[in-house]
Amino acid sequence: MRLKVDGTLHEVDGGPTRVLADVLRDDLGVTSVKVGCREGACGACVALVDGVAVPTCLVHLGRVEGAEVVTVSTASATPVGERLVEAIVREGGLQCGFCTPGVVCAAVSLAGQEREWSEPEVRQALAGHLCRCTGYMSLVRAVHQVLSEVPA
Amino acid sequence: MAASPGRPPTGRWLRPPDLLAAATSAAAGATVVGGGAALASAAFPHVLGAEPVDLARLDLATCTPPLVGAMVTLDRLATDPMVAAGWPAIAEAAGLTATPEVRRLATIGGTVAARVPTADLPTALCAHGGAVHLHDGKRAWTMGLHDYLVEPAEALITGIDLGRQAPSAYRRLAGRPGPAPAVAAVAGILAPEGLQLWAGAVAGQPIPFDGQQPPPRSRLRDDDRASAAYRHRLLSVLADDVRTQLEETT
């Protein structure tokens, strides 16, 4: 089964009902994708599949055959991704780093919507990401700052 | 980190070329994959069969209310302006389901088919009088959504009729703010014949009630998340909230 991850085409196997998060971590060594809850509630495994931020623990491999998967490695290297990383560091929006890859991927996806975002809307949009270190305020502030700079 | 579910992988992933082929496979017992979220989640029993039938490539994602294709995502349902205007409780319930990321995966057809008692959407759909469009490979037919939830047909869900347009509202209470399963929920619509309320997340399926009294405690779930007595009281509060919201709207 073919899968494009961060621009590189891979042949993966093991059956179409494996979940994408396991394939990324165990087969391809993409350990920036964290596995926390396996039920789509924590956001740690979020990556972009064909541009849409989704929890990869809930995506079967069969569904994404031929799809393009973008993880934080690529997302954080985009212009908006670089600004997000800088803002998260500046605002103190990380400590252990477990939630950071998922948050960055989600925020890059939000920036792609090219609309105006209020802070409550950002908070709502990040509601699927659990952070046990910084308490969300700094994360929301950082993401809101960057989204405010993106032309609507 | 959660332990790996250890689910055995299966060998084939079917992508039927058309609706008839998909419905035939479903009628033969294949597991239908809509968004796939509940089928992959460790929160739900493992029901994925040996040959999942993936509907992603079929033309079932058209959202033309009141008819909504089975593959329309909850995110789309929550943000569609026509749904928000004509079926507000359904838009609200869709927007309160799980997390934003899960809503981009989960579909209306999959949500109905999963028949999860704490799901938000079925309660709002029942309040509007929604119906399920089905196909078993031989014939297509429609049945009331509540009837389907009580006794599902062995057939593929091809679409959902959202029911009648009316001012409506949806209120829920969960164990914590943000994405969490509801302990109790109430959906209400202001129909020409008066306010109609449905209680959700308190039993196996949504329960209609008259707005004066919630359903009797004997019909309500009593578990480690909440007692039946608490849910009974909660339904009264949520119903008042829905009533107030609808009075302000109209």
Side-chain angles (χ1 to χ4, degrees):
Chain A
M1 197 167 285
R2 287 151 65 107
L3 188 64
K4 197 172 185 181
V5 180
D6 290 328
T8 303
L9 200 58
H10 298 273
E11 282 287 337
V12 293
D13 53 21
T17 57
R18 293 181 70 200
V19 294
L20 180 57
D22 290 339
V23 173
L24 291 170
R25 285 182 62 86
D26 300 342
D27 295 22
L28 306 182
V30 184
T31 52
S32 65
V33 172
K34 311 298 184 190
V35 177
C37 66
R38 291 191 180 276
E39 51 185 76
C42 75
C45 68
V46 165
L48 304 174
V49 175
D50 288 336
V52 180
V54 294
T56 56
C57 71
L58 295 188
V59 178
H60 290 113
L61 193 54
R63 172 56 62 85
V64 292
E65 183 176 18
E68 180 150 11
V69 179
V70 167
T71 71
V72 72
S73 302
T74 299
S76 64
T78 61
V80 72
E82 287 179 349
R83 299 217 301 272
L84 278 163
V85 171
E86 287 168 9
I88 288 171
V89 172
R90 186 172 62 241
E91 292 295 332
L94 81 166
Q95 190 168 315
C96 81
F98 200 81
C99 72
T100 313
V103 170
V104 170
C105 286
V108 166
S109 167
L110 298 179
Q113 295 183 24
E114 296 183 346
R115 44 159 286 197
E116 290 183 1
W117 291 89
S118 66
E119 194 164 304
E121 286 173 331
V122 171
R123 184 174 294 278
Q124 189 63 36
L126 296 180
H129 295 264
L130 299 184
C131 169
R132 289 294 179 245
C133 301
T134 68
Y136 306 104
M137 296 290 289
S138 45
L139 268 175
V140 169
R141 206 162 46 233
V143 173
H144 184 237
Q145 278 175 18
V146 174
L147 292 181
S148 301
E149 297 164 5
V150 176
Chain B
M1 183 185 296
S4 171
R7 294 170 176 177
T10 59
R12 296 217 300 167
W13 187 269
L14 305 178
R15 295 183 183 83
D18 53 43
L19 187 59
L20 190 62
T24 303
S25 295
T31 310
V32 176
V33 182
L39 294 170
S41 173
F44 299 106
H46 180 48
V47 296
L48 202 59
E51 294 187 339
V53 176
D54 189 346
L55 305 185
R57 294 183 185 175
L58 300 183
D59 184 20
L60 294 174
T62 306
C63 187
T64 51
L67 187 58
V68 173
M71 290 295 284
V72 168
T73 65
L74 300 193
D75 179 60
R76 171 84 189 277
L77 204 59
T79 55
D80 186 278
M82 284 183 69
V83 177
W87 299 264
I90 292 173
E92 289 170 24
L96 288 167
T97 300
T99 70
E101 278 89 3
V102 172
R103 292 197 290 272
R104 290 184 200 118
L105 286 177
T107 60
I108 185 171
T111 302
V112 170
R115 299 169 65 237
V116 175
T118 54
D120 295 281
L121 197 57
T123 310
L125 287 167
C126 283
H128 276 276
V132 186
H133 290 242
L134 298 158
H135 202 304
D136 68 358
K138 295 175 183 162
R139 68 186 181 106
W141 76 102
T142 302
M143 70 188 290
L145 193 122
H146 187 251
D147 292 342
Y148 180 90
L149 294 174
V150 172
E151 192 168 352
E154 292 295 326
L156 177 70
I157 296 178
T158 59
I160 303 289
D161 189 313
L162 300 184
R164 57 180 167 174
Q165 289 189 56
S168 64
Y170 180 77
R171 291 291 181 274
R172 79 201 292 269
L173 187 90
R176 62 178 171 83
V183 171
V186 171
I189 73 164
L190 205 50
E193 59 271 31
L195 180 67
Q196 299 190 349
L197 297 168
W198 285 72
V202 294
Q205 298 87 30
I207 306 171
F209 66 106
D210 63 10
Q212 303 305 316
Q213 275 294 321
R217 291 178 192 177
S218 59
R219 294 189 67 187
L220 306 184
R221 189 187 303 274
D222 195 336
D223 56 26
D224 56 358
R225 296 181 69 223
S227 67
Y230 178 69
R231 285 189 162 105
H232 188 264
R233 175 73 188 124
L234 195 51
L235 288 174
S236 292
V237 175
L238 293 169
D240 283 347
D241 219 17
V242 166
R243 189 180 296 108
T244 303
Q245 164 75 23
L246 289 175
E247 284 170 358
E248 287 174 358
T249 303
T250 54

